[in-house]
Amino acid sequence: MSCVALLPAAGSGSRMGSDTPKQYLDLLGKPLIWHTLAALSRVEELARIVVVLSPDDAWWDSYDWSAFPTLQVLRVGGASRAESVLNGLQALSTQIPADSWVLVHDAARPCLAPQLVRKLIDTLLGDAVGGILAVPVADTLKFAAPDQTIAHTHPRGGLWQAQTPQMFRLADLAGALETGMGPDITDEASAMEKLGLAPRLVHGSPWNLKVTYPQDLALAALILQAGDALTH
């Protein structure tokens, strides 16, 4: 059965405090998203890698992407991540079967280990719903009061931190996003959950970092430089 990676990359990355969109920030001499594509391109099970850009993206064509022969670009990005994913799925629906598996991955997770993607695919290929990479929460969690004092401590047992890729069938995920779009949909799994479905949790890695704030870029560089010593 076909597996396709889909990367929503239409955002501005405003929390990075830069005029350059986050996916194009320099990371070890390459744009950040280049490293993400490099990791995915090493997963033989992926038939293609699809990047969803903003229609007015002026950065993409400034770089050389020839290292990724299975790469496809769709300039159908929306105002939110969910809209970009849905638009990408709708465009793909005319090209690949409705039951194809789509692995939605954050463009700003450049430290993804290819073996984790293979593990996700192997675990979920026969699953009725799909699932996500995630890691159990290790830290003590505090609920804050409005004045930034601790209101209470929340038990961490059973809590997991969602990561990507998140793997669902094309038609199922598109249908979930079409019917469940809203501020409570913060990832693909939450759209599936809103339909009453229960995606599977597949153990990921703490090194699968999402670059969100400026200091994350330096940490991502350290992880990438450490290479296989950390990504296993």
Side-chain angles (χ1 to χ4, degrees):
M1 185 176 291
S2 176
C3 293
V4 171
L6 182 111
L7 280 69
S12 63
S14 57
R15 284 179 286 184
M16 290 295 294
S18 171
D19 292 333
T20 303
K22 177 169 60 176
Q23 58 270 27
Y24 300 118
L25 291 174
D26 182 85
L27 178 57
L28 300 178
K30 300 280 189 181
L32 186 154
I33 191 175
W34 190 95
H35 299 277
T36 310
L37 294 171
L40 291 169
S41 70
R42 292 166 57 195
V43 181
E44 298 83 1
E45 293 85 348
L46 294 174
R48 71 174 90 176
I49 303 169
V50 181
V51 176
V52 179
L53 301 178
S54 169
D56 58 358
D57 183 302
W59 295 81
W60 180 266
D61 292 333
S62 302
Y63 301 97
D64 178 10
W65 308 105
S66 60
F68 310 114
T70 62
L71 182 63
Q72 178 182 1
V73 175
L74 297 173
R75 290 182 175 269
V76 295
S80 67
R81 173 201 170 88
E83 286 182 27
S84 292
V85 171
L86 178 56
N87 291 350
L89 293 172
Q90 289 173 336
L92 281 176
S93 68
T94 65
Q95 305 173 23
I96 60 177
D99 63 350
S100 299
W101 286 103
V102 177
L103 285 75
V104 182
H105 184 60
D106 296 322
R109 288 188 190 269
C111 304
L112 177 67
Q115 61 266 29
L116 278 182
V117 184
R118 298 187 193 103
K119 175 183 175 183
L120 184 72
I121 293 172
D122 290 345
T123 302
L124 298 178
L125 266 182
D127 196 87
V129 177
I132 71 172
L133 287 182
V135 290
V137 171
D139 295 322
T140 299
L141 298 176
K142 305 293 185 181
F143 269 79
D147 63 353
Q148 294 300 293
T149 58
I150 296 172
H152 66 272
T153 298
H154 189 83
R156 66 189 176 205
L159 293 179
W160 290 59
Q161 180 178 334
Q163 298 184 339
T164 66
Q166 303 200 355
M167 176 173 164
F168 301 102
R169 290 177 181 85
L170 189 156
D172 292 345
L173 181 55
L177 289 170
E178 285 169 353
T179 59
M181 196 77 73
D184 56 331
I185 303 303
T186 55
D187 65 355
E188 291 67 48
S190 57
M192 301 294 284
E193 293 165 46
K194 202 169 182 177
L195 295 182
L197 300 171
R200 185 175 299 277
L201 293 166
V202 179
H203 206 295
S205 166
W207 308 120
N208 187 15
L209 169 76
K210 183 178 181 181
V211 174
T212 304
Y213 300 104
Q215 61 268 30
D216 296 333
L217 204 60
L219 183 54
L222 291 173
I223 294 171
L224 288 170
Q225 287 171 325
D228 289 343
L230 287 181
T231 53
H232 281 78

